[in-house]
Amino acid sequence: MVLNLLNPKSFLLPVFFIAVFANSVKAQDPYQSYRQDWLKKAEDNKPKLIETEKQPVSLVRLEKDPAAFQGWKAINTDSVGKLYNTSFKTQSGVVVDFGEHLTGYFTFSIKSLKGTPDGPARLKFTFGEVPSEVAVPFDPYKGTLSRAWLQDETVTVTEMPADITIPRRVACRFVKIELLGASPNFDFHISSMVFKATSSVAFKPPLLAATTPKLIADIDRVGLATLKECMQTVYEDGPKRDRRLWIGDLYLESLANQFSYQNNQLTRRCLYLLAGLSADDGVLLANVFENPEPHAQAGSRLLDYCLLYGVALKEYVAATDDKQTGLDLWPVAKKQLDIIRKYAGQDGMIDYQKAGKEWWVFFDWKDGLDKQACLQGLSIYALNQTYALAKLLGKENEVDDIPSLARKLKAAAYKNLYDPKSGLFVSGVNKQISYGSQAWMILSGVASKQEAQTALKALSTVKDAVHPGAPYMFHYYIAALIESGLKVEAKEALQNYWGGMVKKGADTFWEVYDPNDELKSPYNFYPVNSYCHAWSCTPVYFIRKYPEIFQR
Amino acid sequence: MVLNLLNPKSFLLPVFFIAVFANSVKAQDPYQSYRQDWLKKAEDNKPKLIETEKQPVSLVRLEKDPAAFQGWKAINTDSVGKLYNTSFKTQSGVVVDFGEHLTGYFTFSIKSLKGTPDGPARLKFTFGEVPSEVAVPFDPYKGTLSRAWLQDETVTVTEMPADITIPRRVACRFVKIELLGASPNFDFHISSMVFKATSSVAFKPPLLAATTPKLIADIDRVGLATLKECMQTVYEDGPKRDRRLWIGDLYLESLANQFSYQNNQLTRRCLYLLAGLSADDGVLLANVFENPEPHAQAGSRLLDYCLLYGVALKEYVAATDDKQTGLDLWPVAKKQLDIIRKYAGQDGMIDYQKAGKEWWVFFDWKDGLDKQACLQGLSIYALNQTYALAKLLGKENEVDDIPSLARKLKAAAYKNLYDPKSGLFVSGVNKQISYGSQAWMILSGVASKQEAQTALKALSTVKDAVHPGAPYMFHYYIAALIESGLKVEAKEALQNYWGGMVKKGADTFWEVYDPNDELKSPYNFYPVNSYCHAWSCTPVYFIRKYPEIFQR
């Protein structure tokens, strides 16, 4: 996910926000005495990456096929030995398949076959997570993100034999290799390749029940791969792009991790890192970078992500009983609730009109989604979850206004957003009906179980209901189905959506997936989408947390 | 200079040659007991490169100008500070001028100016020795040499701030920097640049006499720069291309070095290296590479270069009195004379028909040059010079057939190649008249001083006389003028030819220079020509060896 600062509104956000919080900003950094300790703990918990050497498994040919995902199919043609044993001059354009998604560093060996190398060679390597990335021309580039995210690297080989590592970390399954220049006076071959794959995941999680349906098992496998690839020295949002820690991704990744790899150290590190790098008015910044040294993206104030931090911390403490971390970071979770207090009106409604002007409110990649109901629901959810955290830590006395505030917001939501006639929750002045609104009204407990079931079932009958735009929102939809007791529907929705990716050949789950528009891209060029994206890994969480629903 | 193995004839050369020398090849390596020692001495004499940090001096704009060399003029526009202090997004395509030719490693620093870097940047650097290289598009590439010689490198900058060094060694004065991709969400600048220039030259040579004409002083300066840039850990032919040691270039570079930088260690190293890497039948290979470990270009048997090795060794021993090196390498110089013995007919003429089929005979980049007279002349010259070497070393007894063989070849040359009517030497069945033929007939002493003067003066009256194609042959032409006592003409020719390059803005002398065809290229694409080329540095030798001709 990328903050679009070109959007004039989001450019103004920091200014607005600073103005609004001006007194507190300049008054004092509420975490002044903690930050150094938090950042040290983040560093102390940095996992040592596990490196695994991987070999390609075959050569493939890219073929146009309207039935294949995005129209491109990789067809196994030869063993890699054919490449290794043949002059590369006859192999330009070859595509190597590593058989799985990998994140790390690519090394190739190049050697003279005949004659003495008397000039450099120029090779272009294109790394692709999915077939289209090694089939579709990148230029002229029309995407809205940096062209440099696309993983094509040109290398000048000045001497042979040589072992050359592409300096940039790449994420891929496929590698296309093209010859852009060579001396006519000698012949050479690529004699070996190795991919040093990295992840902080050390072991395989337990097997699923033997009764697990094949498709669910496949979804779990792909979800685990997605999560493993994103688990580097932080929970990355995507190892190809944007390679950094976002609060929203952390939340979903840490849920999935808790039910699979159980790398608590990584969750702990990320929670401390985000806290240590929060703004000096105490508000969390939505995303942080590790290099050259840990730092946050200035101005990335994302309302819903701020609220999810406390939820993530609560889940972490509940799962690990690591109260020390909980107590250390409690001031941060607590502080974010001020955002809710600020926008909560006398009527119990969050003033979305105002909040939406002053903040980036995300929830989903979906043009036109009205976020009033989502925000109202998340606010209630965050209040309740953060209060549950307070109870775990014995800190209820510090937030004793929360239960009544949560009740007030809940009552207002029911009053203002529930349409008893249709049995659906509506959002905004146009009373928009969306999957997101239902999901958050259900997760927040605004809907009773019966109302929840009614609303979710009614959704499919509403012609212009706003569907989830990306797997991130789909997570909350599945969670709402489970929360409502719609087990069969939850399983079916998960199978349809993530199973759809699996059936289309996904090795890892995609950042963006619209079953009806495989070329959808929030960035105006689908090859720049991330095809291994943290927020898409949550079937792992659902399948493993609810074996009674999914594993039979 | 590049051996064109695509030429079907040159492809066959090694086969022919091996067949001809088959008995001796398989019999025994004549240097078996010496090679290891020679290579060790080559390594022991490897100079430590002197590194100098250079800063760019200005920004320039490339402008089309029919009056400028190759039609491109670099116009000084701004100080480099403008680049350093401005968003690079507004500077794409900027050309930086280092003010002089440099060889080494380019480093740039890149920093955020506004906002947090949230995506990689993609930059393209194009390094040019002359303006056209940073103005003319390289693709679609139609040259016959590897496209990879052209110095354009694309870099993905994944983090900022960063100091990034282009891994490839480059040779340039100009650097064009283009932005191929960046995130719209932050701004950045190139905050500094530094070029770590390398050379094995440690000091400046003595000043020329105060009486030296300006143009001659300029030619000397450019020649010195050319030589310095080519003097790395071997005498390279060109630091941009081909970056290796050729016997012919070594010969001319060591002559110029002897009268300027006097780095005898480098000459010694190169002589040992060539000896140690000669073919196992005792024949020298024309060019060698230092990396990954010292090795020769298999099959690069170049007849005229084999013969020049003894000449270069003689000049080295005469200049340094380093008899030990002379004695060590004497077997190699002596062995090359077998080539002359083999092709010398009963009539005293070298059988060029046969030799030309079995060898690469070079002499010049000039289509259509008949090389019979050149080869006859060089053979005589090499016999005499190698015999002079034998005398310096007290080894005459080992080559006592040489003086009479030289006399025989000389007499035959005079008889068969001199046309008393025209006063010119002719070559081949078509009795071609060329500068090269006259030069080699004079240097070999076939022509008397009077005949030499007549021939050289007559040249300009012959309408279709074959002119030198490149500075390499021009060297021998100047040497012949001096040898003939045509001092004024020598000075004039040197001023016209090398002075022509100076007047066209040369910082270093070019591999190829035809005053009437600035786009001439033996490789079908002039930007791939080398514009700092060893064999063009010899004005340094002439100007400093003959002050009475050039320095007044």
Side-chain angles (χ1 to χ4, degrees):
Chain A
M1 188 167 70
V2 170
L3 169 57
N4 184 5
L5 291 178
L6 276 191
N7 175 342
K9 194 171 86 173
S10 49
F11 242 135
L12 293 174
L13 292 183
V15 180
F16 267 100
F17 199 79
I18 287 164
V20 169
F21 273 58
N23 292 333
S24 59
V25 169
K26 293 303 149 202
Q28 179 180 342
D29 174 0
Y31 315 137
Q32 197 168 14
S33 54
Y34 311 134
R35 282 186 196 274
Q36 213 171 342
D37 178 53
W38 291 346
L39 289 173
K40 183 176 181 309
K41 284 183 174 162
E43 189 61 28
D44 291 348
N45 282 288
K46 188 170 182 172
K48 196 173 148 42
L49 290 177
I50 292 147
E51 295 178 349
T52 316
E53 296 207 337
K54 299 282 187 174
Q55 303 291 332
V57 296
S58 67
L59 306 183
V60 294
R61 188 180 71 244
L62 275 296
E63 206 170 77
K64 274 199 170 174
D65 179 356
F69 177 58
Q70 298 179 332
W72 289 99
K73 190 164 62 176
I75 296 166
N76 198 318
T77 55
D78 290 286
S79 76
V80 187
K82 191 196 167 200
L83 173 62
Y84 292 164
N85 298 322
T86 316
S87 159
F88 188 70
K89 290 185 177 180
T90 66
Q91 302 282 307
S92 181
V94 70
V95 178
V96 167
D97 180 4
F98 278 89
E100 61 183 315
H101 189 284
L102 301 174
T103 299
Y105 297 89
F106 175 81
T107 298
F108 64 98
S109 299
I110 189 162
K111 284 185 184 160
S112 164
L113 260 181
K114 202 175 83 178
T116 308
D118 68 341
R122 189 172 169 94
L123 301 173
K124 182 175 167 189
F125 294 83
T126 307
F127 301 89
E129 298 182 306
V130 292
S132 67
E133 284 175 276
V134 292
V136 170
F138 292 164
D139 299 299
Y141 178 68
K142 295 200 172 105
T144 55
L145 300 184
S146 174
R147 161 69 175 80
W149 283 119
L150 295 167
Q151 304 178 118
D152 57 327
E153 297 290 315
T154 299
V155 175
T156 302
V157 181
T158 52
E159 290 162 12
M160 294 185 198
D163 301 321
I164 295 174
T165 299
I166 306 280
R168 166 187 197 173
R169 200 194 75 181
V170 292
C172 69
R173 169 175 167 172
F174 302 103
V175 186
K176 180 166 67 177
I177 317 174
E178 293 166 281
L179 183 61
L180 302 186
S183 163
N185 299 326
F186 74 101
D187 214 343
F188 60 95
H189 63 139
I190 290 181
S191 59
S192 72
M193 280 178 279
V194 65
F195 197 103
K196 193 188 279 177
T198 69
S199 168
S200 57
V201 169
F203 65 97
K204 287 191 189 304
L207 293 176
L208 300 182
T211 50
T212 310
K214 170 79 168 60
L215 183 57
I216 292 286
D218 283 343
I219 293 170
D220 179 73
R221 175 180 50 76
V222 173
L224 285 172
T226 308
L227 179 58
K228 168 183 73 82
E229 291 292 281
C230 293
M231 287 171 69
Q232 301 290 333
T233 48
V234 293
Y235 284 114
E236 296 187 7
D237 56 341
K240 177 179 110 178
R241 210 210 82 237
D242 307 314
R243 303 175 45 168
R244 52 186 142 129
L245 174 62
W246 288 86
I247 299 172
D249 299 85
L250 156 72
Y251 170 47
L252 299 194
E253 286 175 284
S254 63
L255 286 182
N257 170 63
Q258 191 179 305
F259 287 88
S260 56
Y261 301 121
Q262 299 186 315
N263 184 344
N264 295 324
Q265 184 193 345
L266 186 64
T267 308
R268 191 158 56 237
R269 163 172 169 72
C270 293
L271 290 166
Y272 276 114
L273 198 56
L274 286 161
L277 299 172
S278 58
D280 64 2
D281 59 1
V283 169
L284 286 161
L285 296 172
N287 67 118
V288 301
F289 302 81
E290 296 179 274
N291 297 312
E293 67 281 326
H295 65 287
Q297 182 168 36
S300 69
R301 291 164 181 256
L302 199 165
L303 203 164
D304 32 328
Y305 279 15
C306 285
L307 300 186
L308 285 173
Y309 180 88
V311 182
L313 183 59
K314 178 246 160 184
E315 294 291 343
Y316 169 79
V317 174
T320 61
D321 206 31
D322 174 5
K323 293 226 170 66
Q324 185 56 54
T325 298
L327 288 166
D328 279 356
L329 300 175
W330 165 246
V332 181
K334 187 173 71 168
K335 179 75 184 166
Q336 309 314 303
L337 301 184
D338 287 351
I339 303 168
I340 301 174
R341 291 193 185 92
K342 178 176 149 54
Y343 294 104
Q346 288 299 328
D347 61 353
M349 289 300 291
I350 299 292
D351 188 345
Y352 173 64
Q353 287 295 94
K354 192 171 173 204
K357 273 188 197 129
E358 295 175 356
W359 286 79
W360 182 17
V361 179
F362 173 62
F363 284 104
D364 194 10
W365 280 135
K366 185 75 180 184
D367 289 342
L369 173 66
D370 188 286
K371 296 169 183 174
Q372 184 197 29
C374 293
L375 184 57
Q376 184 80 16
L378 172 59
S379 297
I380 299 162
Y381 187 73
L383 288 170
N384 288 332
Q385 292 288 310
T386 310
Y387 193 72
L389 172 63
K391 287 206 283 191
L392 285 173
L393 302 171
K395 292 284 188 183
E396 306 95 303
N397 62 317
E398 294 185 16
V399 284
D400 52 14
D401 65 322
I402 290 301
S404 65
L405 180 58
R407 280 193 300 274
K408 185 173 164 188
L409 265 57
K410 200 169 146 179
Y414 191 79
K415 180 180 161 205
N416 295 296
L417 303 176
Y418 188 56
D419 175 5
K421 225 184 295 174
S422 65
L424 284 153
F425 290 88
V426 298
S427 183
V429 286
N430 294 323
K431 302 195 180 300
Q432 183 187 74
I433 294 164
S434 70
Y435 281 66
S437 297
Q438 313 313 310
W440 278 111
M441 286 292 104
I442 291 162
L443 293 172
S444 59
V446 172
S448 70
K449 199 165 207 168
Q450 188 50 56
E451 288 162 347
Q453 292 196 359
T454 305
L456 290 169
K457 283 180 175 168
L459 266 176
S460 61
T461 67
V462 179
K463 216 179 63 186
D464 52 358
V466 177
H467 282 250
Y472 177 70
M473 175 59 93
F474 224 94
H475 165 88
Y476 297 100
Y477 172 57
I478 300 285
L481 284 167
I482 293 169
E483 184 68 25
S484 314
L486 293 174
K487 298 179 181 186
V488 173
E489 290 79 356
K491 186 175 176 184
E492 201 175 270
L494 185 137
Q495 279 182 323
N496 282 345
Y497 191 67
W498 279 273
M501 289 191 250
V502 168
K503 286 174 183 165
K504 289 177 178 182
D507 301 297
T508 47
F509 288 125
W510 308 326
E511 174 189 21
V512 179
Y513 176 52
D514 181 338
N516 301 313
D517 180 8
E518 294 177 353
L519 307 188
K520 180 175 175 179
S521 170
Y523 319 114
N524 204 39
F525 188 55
Y526 62 93
V528 86
N529 288 5
S530 164
Y531 292 95
C532 173
H533 218 68
W535 71 21
S536 308
C537 76
T538 54
V540 166
Y541 163 73
F542 293 122
I543 292 167
R544 289 167 180 269
K545 184 174 180 185
Y546 304 104
E548 73 284 4
I549 303 177
F550 296 101
Q551 297 192 32
R552 53 182 213 173
Chain B
M1 187 168 70
V2 170
L3 168 57
N4 183 3
L5 291 178
L6 277 190
N7 175 339
K9 195 170 86 174
S10 48
F11 243 136
L12 294 174
L13 291 183
V15 180
F16 267 100
F17 199 77
I18 287 164
V20 169
F21 273 59
N23 291 331
S24 58
V25 170
K26 294 302 150 201
Q28 181 182 339
D29 174 0
Y31 314 138
Q32 198 168 13
S33 54
Y34 310 134
R35 283 186 194 272
Q36 214 172 341
D37 178 54
W38 291 345
L39 289 173
K40 182 174 182 313
K41 285 182 173 163
E43 189 61 29
D44 291 347
N45 282 288
K46 189 172 181 171
K48 195 172 148 44
L49 290 178
I50 292 146
E51 295 177 348
T52 316
E53 294 206 339
K54 299 282 186 173
Q55 304 290 333
V57 296
S58 68
L59 306 183
V60 294
R61 187 179 74 244
L62 276 295
E63 204 169 78
K64 274 199 171 174
D65 179 354
F69 176 58
Q70 298 180 332
W72 289 98
K73 190 164 61 178
I75 296 165
N76 199 318
T77 55
D78 289 287
S79 76
V80 187
K82 192 199 167 199
L83 173 62
Y84 293 164
N85 298 323
T86 316
S87 159
F88 188 70
K89 290 185 177 181
T90 66
Q91 301 282 307
S92 182
V94 69
V95 178
V96 166
D97 180 3
F98 278 90
E100 62 184 315
H101 189 283
L102 301 174
T103 299
Y105 297 89
F106 175 81
T107 299
F108 65 99
S109 299
I110 189 162
K111 285 183 183 159
S112 164
L113 260 181
K114 200 175 83 177
T116 308
D118 70 341
R122 188 173 169 94
L123 302 173
K124 182 174 165 187
F125 294 84
T126 306
F127 302 88
E129 298 182 305
V130 293
S132 67
E133 284 175 276
V134 291
V136 170
F138 292 165
D139 299 299
Y141 178 68
K142 294 203 172 102
T144 55
L145 300 184
S146 173
R147 161 69 175 80
W149 283 119
L150 295 167
Q151 303 179 118
D152 57 326
E153 297 289 316
T154 300
V155 176
T156 303
V157 181
T158 50
E159 291 162 11
M160 295 185 197
D163 302 319
I164 295 175
T165 300
I166 305 278
R168 167 188 194 172
R169 200 194 76 182
V170 291
C172 68
R173 170 176 166 172
F174 303 103
V175 187
K176 179 167 67 178
I177 317 176
E178 293 165 281
L179 183 60
L180 303 186
S183 162
N185 299 327
F186 74 101
D187 214 344
F188 60 93
H189 63 138
I190 290 180
S191 59
S192 72
M193 280 177 278
V194 64
F195 196 105
K196 193 187 281 176
T198 68
S199 166
S200 58
V201 169
F203 67 98
K204 288 192 189 302
L207 293 176
L208 302 181
T211 51
T212 309
K214 171 78 167 64
L215 183 56
I216 293 286
D218 284 342
I219 293 171
D220 179 72
R221 174 180 50 75
V222 174
L224 285 172
T226 308
L227 179 58
K228 169 182 73 80
E229 290 291 282
C230 294
M231 286 171 70
Q232 301 290 333
T233 47
V234 294
Y235 284 114
E236 295 187 6
D237 55 342
K240 176 178 110 178
R241 211 212 78 237
D242 309 314
R243 305 174 43 167
R244 52 187 142 130
L245 175 62
W246 288 85
I247 299 171
D249 298 85
L250 156 72
Y251 170 48
L252 299 194
E253 286 175 283
S254 64
L255 286 181
N257 170 64
Q258 190 180 307
F259 287 89
S260 57
Y261 302 120
Q262 299 186 318
N263 184 343
N264 295 323
Q265 185 193 345
L266 186 64
T267 309
R268 192 158 54 236
R269 163 171 167 74
C270 293
L271 290 166
Y272 276 113
L273 198 56
L274 287 161
L277 298 172
S278 58
D280 64 2
D281 58 1
V283 170
L284 286 160
L285 295 173
N287 68 116
V288 301
F289 302 80
E290 295 179 275
N291 297 312
E293 67 282 326
H295 65 285
Q297 183 169 35
S300 70
R301 291 163 182 254
L302 198 166
L303 203 163
D304 31 329
Y305 280 15
C306 285
L307 301 185
L308 285 173
Y309 181 88
V311 181
L313 183 59
K314 178 243 156 186
E315 293 291 342
Y316 169 79
V317 174
T320 61
D321 206 29
D322 174 5
K323 293 228 170 64
Q324 185 56 53
T325 298
L327 288 166
D328 279 356
L329 300 175
W330 165 245
V332 181
K334 187 174 73 170
K335 179 74 184 169
Q336 308 313 304
L337 301 184
D338 287 351
I339 303 167
I340 302 175
R341 291 192 185 94
K342 178 177 148 51
Y343 294 103
Q346 286 302 326
D347 61 352
M349 290 300 289
I350 298 292
D351 187 345
Y352 173 64
Q353 287 295 94
K354 193 173 170 198
K357 274 187 197 132
E358 294 175 359
W359 286 78
W360 183 16
V361 179
F362 172 63
F363 283 103
D364 195 9
W365 280 134
K366 186 73 181 183
D367 289 341
L369 173 66
D370 188 286
K371 295 168 184 174
Q372 183 196 29
C374 293
L375 183 56
Q376 184 81 16
L378 171 59
S379 297
I380 298 162
Y381 187 73
L383 287 170
N384 288 331
Q385 292 288 310
T386 310
Y387 194 73
L389 173 63
K391 286 206 284 190
L392 284 174
L393 302 171
K395 293 284 188 182
E396 306 97 301
N397 61 318
E398 293 185 16
V399 285
D400 52 12
D401 65 320
I402 291 299
S404 65
L405 179 59
R407 281 193 299 275
K408 186 175 163 184
L409 264 58
K410 196 169 149 181
Y414 191 79
K415 182 182 160 201
N416 294 295
L417 303 176
Y418 189 58
D419 174 6
K421 228 184 293 176
S422 65
L424 284 153
F425 290 88
V426 298
S427 183
V429 286
N430 295 323
K431 302 194 178 303
Q432 183 188 74
I433 293 163
S434 70
Y435 281 66
S437 296
Q438 312 312 309
W440 279 111
M441 286 292 103
I442 290 162
L443 293 172
S444 60
V446 172
S448 69
K449 198 164 208 172
Q450 189 48 56
E451 288 162 347
Q453 292 197 0
T454 305
L456 290 169
K457 285 180 175 169
L459 266 176
S460 62
T461 67
V462 179
K463 214 180 65 188
D464 53 357
V466 177
H467 282 251
Y472 177 70
M473 175 59 93
F474 224 95
H475 165 87
Y476 297 101
Y477 172 58
I478 300 285
L481 285 166
I482 293 169
E483 183 68 24
S484 314
L486 293 175
K487 298 178 180 184
V488 174
E489 290 80 357
K491 187 176 176 183
E492 202 175 271
L494 185 138
Q495 279 182 323
N496 283 344
Y497 191 68
W498 279 273
M501 289 191 251
V502 168
K503 286 173 183 166
K504 289 177 178 181
D507 301 296
T508 47
F509 288 124
W510 308 326
E511 174 189 21
V512 178
Y513 176 52
D514 181 338
N516 301 313
D517 180 8
E518 293 177 352
L519 307 188
K520 181 176 173 178
S521 171
Y523 319 114
N524 203 39
F525 188 55
Y526 62 93
V528 85
N529 288 4
S530 164
Y531 292 94
C532 174
H533 219 69
W535 70 21
S536 307
C537 76
T538 55
V540 167
Y541 163 73
F542 293 123
I543 292 166
R544 289 166 180 270
K545 183 174 182 186
Y546 304 105
E548 74 284 3
I549 301 177
F550 295 99
Q551 297 192 32
R552 54 179 215 175

